[in-house]
Amino acid sequence: MAIRPICITGNPVLHTRAAEVVDFDAELNQLVQDMFETMDAAPGVGLAAPQVGVGKRIFTYNYTEDDGTHKRGVVINPVLEIGPVSEEMPDDEEESEGCLSFPGYRFGLKRADTAVITGVDLDQNPVKLEAEGWFARIFQHEYDHLNGILYVDRLVDEYKPEVEAIIDAEEWGQNGITWMPGVDDLDA
Ligand code: ZN
């Protein structure tokens, strides 16, 4: 097992649709174990394979609901269904989202309150997860990663100049920039 470096916005793998997983082999198994380790070290509530530089349709999640229920797993080749998304302005306190590939910043973003993810696990057994609230937000965020979309791409127009200014100031927005959980002190 190994922690892998996390790609930062600008790396093409983050902005490209990831490919379906075809081979359920030892290499896939290793990738998923590394993704869990990397997600835990970051730490993050979710991690998509493109974030570790692998353009495959896989994400891991690790989330504890308000009632203490612990949700942890992997979804491969997911399909997402979501409820309606409000067009109101997001609440920057209650709906503040962050991303390990845009580390250290958060912006408010409206998401659907409900989501259903279907896909398979490492043994190709079917997975179906129904989520509400923050857990539903995680699925929407990670699923977006598999389609080359970062949450900052979805922000209301008012935030876009700030996002551009951050990318300029951090010298992101180019290929090959990564950070290493447990080594680089970044609070995502
Ligand atoms: Zn993310």
Side-chain angles (χ1 to χ4, degrees):
M1 300 235 294
I3 296 172
R4 300 196 186 193
I6 296 178
C7 297
I8 287 178
T9 182
N11 189 317
V13 73
L14 291 173
H15 308 286
T16 307
R17 188 186 188 279
E20 264 75 22
V21 172
V22 178
D23 296 321
F24 288 76
D25 53 12
E27 187 183 332
L28 180 71
N29 213 60
Q30 183 66 58
L31 169 64
V32 171
Q33 298 317 311
D34 288 355
M35 285 175 62
F36 276 117
E37 193 172 341
T38 304
M39 174 176 69
D40 290 344
V45 291
L47 186 74
Q51 295 184 275
V52 291
V54 178
K56 290 184 178 171
R57 303 185 76 76
I58 307 163
F59 71 79
T60 56
Y61 59 90
N62 184 62
Y63 177 65
T64 303
E65 300 269 19
D66 290 341
D67 68 1
T69 314
H70 189 208
K71 310 286 178 74
R72 182 178 175 88
V74 59
V75 189
I76 300 169
N77 296 338
V79 174
L80 176 73
E81 289 175 59
I82 61 171
V85 180
S86 162
E87 291 181 8
E88 290 173 20
M89 278 293 286
D91 180 327
D92 287 338
E93 297 287 318
E94 295 293 315
E95 298 168 313
S96 164
E97 198 162 313
C99 179
L100 298 173
S101 294
F102 202 96
Y105 299 91
R106 302 187 73 85
F107 289 94
L109 176 64
K110 283 284 185 200
R111 293 283 196 183
D113 192 50
T114 58
V116 180
I117 277 275
T118 52
V120 297
D121 65 14
L122 271 174
D123 298 319
Q124 300 188 66
N125 294 317
V127 171
K128 181 176 182 184
L129 294 156
E130 298 181 14
E132 287 182 24
W134 204 267
F135 195 38
R137 179 180 293 271
I138 293 168
F139 286 161
Q140 291 166 80
H141 180 113
E142 300 310 328
Y143 184 78
D144 271 353
H145 273 301
L146 306 184
N147 291 328
I149 298 167
L150 300 186
Y151 89 99
V152 290
D153 299 330
R154 290 195 180 275
L155 298 178
V156 294
D157 288 345
E158 285 87 331
Y159 293 148
K160 286 179 180 165
E162 195 178 339
V163 168
E164 288 307 314
I166 290 165
I167 291 171
D168 282 351
E170 299 277 5
E171 299 182 0
W172 294 344
Q174 51 186 310
N175 195 2
I177 301 180
T178 61
W179 69 280
M180 195 65 189
V183 176
D184 299 314
D185 184 20
L186 276 173
D187 178 18

